[in-house]
Amino acid sequence: MAVAAAPTQAKTPRDALVMAFQIDDIITLDPAEIFEFSGAEFAGNTYDRLIGYDYQDVSNIYGVAAESWTISDDGKTFTFKMRPGIVFPSGNPMTAEDAAFSLQRAIVLDKSPAFILTQFGFTADNVKDKIKAVDDMTLVIETDKAYAPTFVLYCLTATISSIVDKKLVMEHEQDGDLGYNWLKTNYAGVGPFKLRQWKPNESLTLDRNDDYWGGAPAMKRVIIRHIVEPATQQLLLEKGDIDIARNLGPDQLSTVRNNPDTYIQEGVKGAIYYLGLSQKNEALSKPKVREALKYLIDYKGMEGTVVKDLMTIHQAFLPKGFLGALEATPYTLDINKAKELLAEAGYPNGFKVTMDTRNTSPIMEMAQAIQATFAQGGVDLEIIPGDGGQTLTKYRARNHDIYIGRWGPDYQDPHTNADTFARNPDNSDDAKSKPLAWRNAWDIPEMTKLADAAVLERDPAKRAEMYLDIQKAHQATSPFVIMFQQIEVAGVRADTKGFIIGPSFDDNRYKDVTKE
């Protein structure tokens, strides 16, 4: 009696986690420079910081490389006691000097995320006096003002606060660059995993750190494959060629949800999706035009189609879950109102404008939906596609008209988004600080003062009210069309457990992943 052979199914190695993920936004591996989502996730799994927080309750801050800390009575001096016994993969022991060097280095290099630390009064000239190791196990940080304590602590959980191996980094220093050119493509940290190989726009491979002080992960290796198409990610997941698919769209999620071999994992992120309208563009600089465009977005339509299961409508710069978040959503698609506003602004027949758009899903589908509703109001929108690096480079140089983007908080304090959406201390082209308000050339001295005052308020209730007031003004007048808050969703093989989707992108963790 003949027996039909059962179909075979590909399987990933039992000791390796294989993911499909759009990682074209990685442009550097140096934590002093990393300012992109995929790069932050890399750092979150490979570099320890002084402190961390519970991803399920971010108010629970705990020690990581630092075992404990104290704050002086005047609120300006933070003293950290290092955790004994931490050793870098190089074999060098971690000391307070490594922590001091890492923070000093980030400030001296002054790359894009440096403002997270320099906002406390640190400069290249004073940082060695303000951040220093007083002995092998004691680090002292002195801020210029008495800020809300959690503001300082949350900034020390950010990617830029990752601790690097000073001795190893300085062995690769060239012409006083503090190892920058080497660390852009190499690794000098300590974490559950360590870098094996990065091939830009192709793959990122991590190896287990068997000697990690917090316990070695179950997975010997993590392999992240850059797969752009969601449909391809779905196919690879269903075949068993990958364990997790990170960029599935609504159609793929529906199929994965109904497959007994796979399941859906999700988590609400702090990331928000928005349009940035350059105030260097004459039409976009007019307040009524900015308001009109906010009425030319089909928020509900997109929420039910192209971003279904991926995002929820949100129209303020502080994400839900943050202290003082504004949850009002006053804008809906209203073509007639938009046309009236455009006519009042001097554009009764609309105008032409371009939008730089990352050519990945769902950003491209969102752009096309926006293009269609803009057209109904008379706005001729040309989409300019590019990869993550291309669009970000152009945006950071203020060479765009409109940019469709995603912004994730750098730390869990409300100042993280107020600082970039509602502050612009210097609007000149050669400004030292370049937040999103600067990128869009929005000059806001009064709102900047309000944001500066809010970060110094130590009473949480009063502070929340201050942020609510700023958001209400921002929502009504800003050149930001804030549309959605992200729900990060992954398709996962049924035998793969323990992947963590946290509130921030460097909270997405692989350490506890197991396979049944």
Side-chain angles (χ1 to χ4, degrees):
M1 182 174 171
V3 179
T8 59
Q9 186 178 60
K11 283 191 175 182
T12 60
R14 302 309 297 169
D15 60 355
L17 173 64
V18 184
M19 291 190 289
F21 193 21
Q22 295 167 358
I23 57 170
D24 60 314
D25 62 331
I26 299 180
I27 59 177
T28 179
L29 300 183
D30 187 337
E33 186 177 33
I34 290 171
F35 210 38
E36 296 74 38
F37 297 108
S38 302
E41 185 168 316
F42 157 77
N45 286 278
T46 56
Y47 282 90
D48 279 350
R49 292 125 206 207
L50 289 167
I51 55 177
Y53 54 81
D54 184 341
Y55 77 96
Q56 294 179 313
D57 177 9
V58 299
S59 66
N60 179 19
I61 300 173
Y62 56 81
V64 183
E67 198 169 44
S68 63
W69 64 91
T70 57
I71 305 172
S72 63
D73 292 340
D74 67 1
K76 295 168 62 176
T77 302
F78 294 71
T79 302
F80 296 88
K81 290 294 183 181
M82 302 298 292
R83 186 180 300 277
I86 299 180
V87 179
F88 290 103
S90 65
N92 299 324
M94 179 189 288
T95 70
E97 181 57 35
D98 293 295
F101 170 78
S102 301
L103 299 173
Q104 294 166 0
R105 177 179 181 272
I107 290 162
V108 171
L109 289 177
D110 197 25
K111 301 302 178 182
S112 293
F115 71 90
I116 296 171
L117 299 176
T118 58
Q119 62 191 335
F120 298 113
F122 305 130
T123 67
D125 293 331
N126 71 17
V127 68
K128 287 190 176 181
D129 293 325
K130 299 296 184 181
I131 301 177
K132 57 189 176 183
V134 296
D135 60 46
D136 283 352
M137 304 306 288
T138 309
L139 173 73
V140 174
I141 298 175
E142 183 183 345
T143 61
D144 60 340
K145 299 176 184 177
Y147 299 94
T150 53
F151 170 45
V152 179
L153 294 174
Y154 281 131
C155 286
L156 293 175
T157 71
T159 299
I160 194 172
S161 298
S162 300
I163 300 175
V164 303
D165 182 338
K166 177 181 179 179
K167 183 177 179 181
L168 179 61
V169 169
M170 293 305 287
E171 285 173 358
H172 294 87
E173 183 181 38
Q174 296 179 350
D175 301 322
D177 72 346
L178 298 175
Y180 168 70
N181 286 298
W182 177 77
L183 201 51
K184 281 177 69 75
T185 55
N186 287 281
Y187 172 68
V190 62
F193 293 93
K194 54 189 177 181
L195 176 68
R196 180 180 180 88
Q197 185 180 56
W198 171 43
K199 295 181 179 180
N201 294 343
E202 184 177 331
S203 66
L204 176 68
T205 305
L206 309 178
D207 282 344
R208 178 173 62 200
N209 179 0
D210 290 317
D211 299 318
Y212 182 56
W213 66 268
M219 295 293 104
K220 182 178 180 181
R221 184 162 294 163
V222 176
I223 302 167
I224 302 172
R225 299 170 56 188
H226 176 58
I227 306 292
V228 175
E229 292 297 327
T232 304
Q233 291 196 15
Q234 176 196 340
L235 180 62
L236 292 171
L237 183 69
E238 291 174 340
K239 289 173 59 181
D241 289 336
I242 60 173
D243 303 303
I244 302 177
R246 300 288 300 279
N247 302 103
L248 301 179
D251 292 342
Q252 293 81 37
L253 289 169
S254 178
T255 301
V256 169
R257 186 176 282 112
N258 294 317
N259 185 335
D261 295 326
T262 57
Y263 67 94
I264 298 297
Q265 183 174 345
E266 64 180 43
V268 177
K269 308 295 283 190
I272 57 177
Y273 285 79
Y274 70 96
L275 304 184
L277 315 177
S278 174
Q279 298 305 280
K280 291 191 171 187
N281 179 290
E282 182 179 356
L284 300 176
S285 69
K286 298 184 181 299
K288 288 188 181 295
V289 170
R290 300 198 298 257
E291 186 180 1
L293 296 188
K294 294 173 184 179
Y295 285 105
L296 284 179
I297 304 288
D298 189 3
Y299 306 92
K300 290 184 179 179
M302 283 196 284
E303 185 183 47
T305 54
V306 296
V307 301
K308 184 180 180 181
D309 296 326
L310 304 176
M311 304 177 202
T312 183
I313 294 172
H314 188 70
Q315 295 178 350
F317 67 73
L318 280 184
K320 296 174 186 175
F322 273 65
L323 177 73
L326 176 65
E327 298 190 22
T329 54
Y331 299 106
T332 58
L333 179 64
D334 190 331
I335 302 298
N336 291 332
K337 187 173 183 66
K339 286 183 174 180
E340 290 175 5
L341 289 164
L342 288 173
E344 291 173 13
Y347 296 95
N349 299 315
F351 58 93
K352 292 184 178 181
V353 70
T354 64
M355 182 162 73
D356 290 285
T357 306
R358 187 178 173 194
N359 55 4
T360 55
S361 183
I363 291 288
M364 185 58 73
E365 290 84 355
M366 294 170 67
Q368 291 166 345
I370 292 166
Q371 183 184 50
T373 51
F374 271 24
Q376 294 178 49
V379 178
D380 184 357
L381 179 67
E382 177 190 353
I383 296 172
I384 303 178
D387 66 28
Q390 291 170 331
T391 56
L392 277 171
T393 299
K394 188 175 180 182
Y395 186 38
R396 288 172 177 169
R398 307 211 286 191
N399 289 330
H400 66 293
D401 285 339
I402 299 177
Y403 175 81
I404 179 170
R406 175 179 62 165
W407 181 264
D410 297 300
Y411 45 89
Q412 297 298 309
D413 186 88
H415 188 68
T416 182
N417 278 19
D419 186 39
T420 197
F421 282 98
R423 284 187 78 252
N424 187 9
D426 180 359
N427 196 44
S428 62
D429 285 339
D430 60 352
K432 182 177 179 62
S433 177
K434 299 179 179 180
L436 294 187
W438 177 89
R439 290 187 197 177
N440 290 284
W442 190 35
D443 197 10
I444 43 171
E446 293 306 314
M447 189 172 286
T448 297
K449 290 178 183 177
L450 293 174
D452 288 344
V455 79
L456 295 175
E457 177 55 59
R458 306 189 78 179
D459 182 314
K462 291 180 181 178
R463 201 168 173 232
E465 286 299 320
M466 295 171 80
Y467 284 116
L468 282 169
D469 290 342
I470 295 170
Q471 286 169 96
K472 289 172 184 176
H474 188 278
Q475 192 176 65
T477 64
S478 79
F480 294 101
V481 185
I482 298 174
M483 303 176 289
F484 302 104
Q485 183 168 344
Q486 182 176 359
I487 302 170
E488 187 172 3
V489 184
V492 188
R493 294 290 304 177
D495 64 349
T496 302
K497 309 292 183 183
F499 172 57
I500 291 174
I501 298 178
S504 186
F505 287 87
D506 50 8
D507 296 326
N508 294 342
R509 301 297 174 93
Y510 324 141
K511 180 179 182 293
D512 297 327
V513 170
T514 60
K515 292 185 180 180
E516 297 176 350

